[in-house]
Amino acid sequence: YHNVVFVGYDKYKNPRYANLRGTYGNFKGDACGSDKNYSFRLDSNNSDKILHLFESSIDLLSYITLLQMNNKNWRISNFLSLAGVYKPSPNTNNKIPKVLEKYLNEHKNIKGIILHLDNDKTGREASDCLQKVLKNKYYIYDNPAPFGKDYNDYLLLEIKKTKEKNKEKER
């Protein structure tokens, strides 16, 4: 079907979550039986105290690609996809997503969270909500993509700029 599959594992390395994203068009979805508590993530090998948080797996990987393009070591940090966000409800006490709650309970070393949520209305509202809910326990930084809807859009813009610069140099 021309999909990419992002797999999330439990602590025993058993696959528990699978997110599908089409390589053609805008298809996105979770595999039947997926448990979002185990969404896609990449953990540091050195118990870093920072967690980078994204709406989707593709944004997480796009951000890491940007770090690599700038010769930065991405392996020193922790990365977690929320597997989507929702618009916070104004009538209830807002809670953190279960996948994030589970991750933070299992990783007591985390002291700071960098939010890389989308630049759309839902992403900005979710970011504001998380900042309010988590600010008393963690250092929280809001770092959405500087351009575009999300880090995948931003990566594509950076790749396009790089190709244009290379074409100019060839002339």
Side-chain angles (χ1 to χ4, degrees), residues 53-112:
L53 194 62
F54 299 84
E55 284 188 37
S56 71
S57 305
I58 195 71
D59 292 336
L60 184 160
L61 291 173
S62 295
Y63 182 80
I64 288 174
T65 302
L66 286 160
L67 291 175
Q68 289 177 315
M69 287 170 64
N70 290 294
N71 298 315
K72 303 230 171 140
N73 184 3
W74 63 271
R75 295 179 195 277
I76 62 172
S77 295
N78 302 292
F79 301 87
L80 176 67
S81 165
L82 292 174
V85 295
Y86 57 91
K87 181 178 178 178
S89 172
N91 301 326
T92 63
N93 291 333
N94 291 305
K95 297 180 181 179
I96 66 172
K98 288 186 185 230
V99 64
L100 178 57
E101 182 177 18
K102 182 179 183 339
Y103 188 90
L104 294 172
N105 285 333
E106 292 175 354
H107 297 82
K108 300 290 186 188
N109 60 308
I110 300 296
K111 303 293 181 214

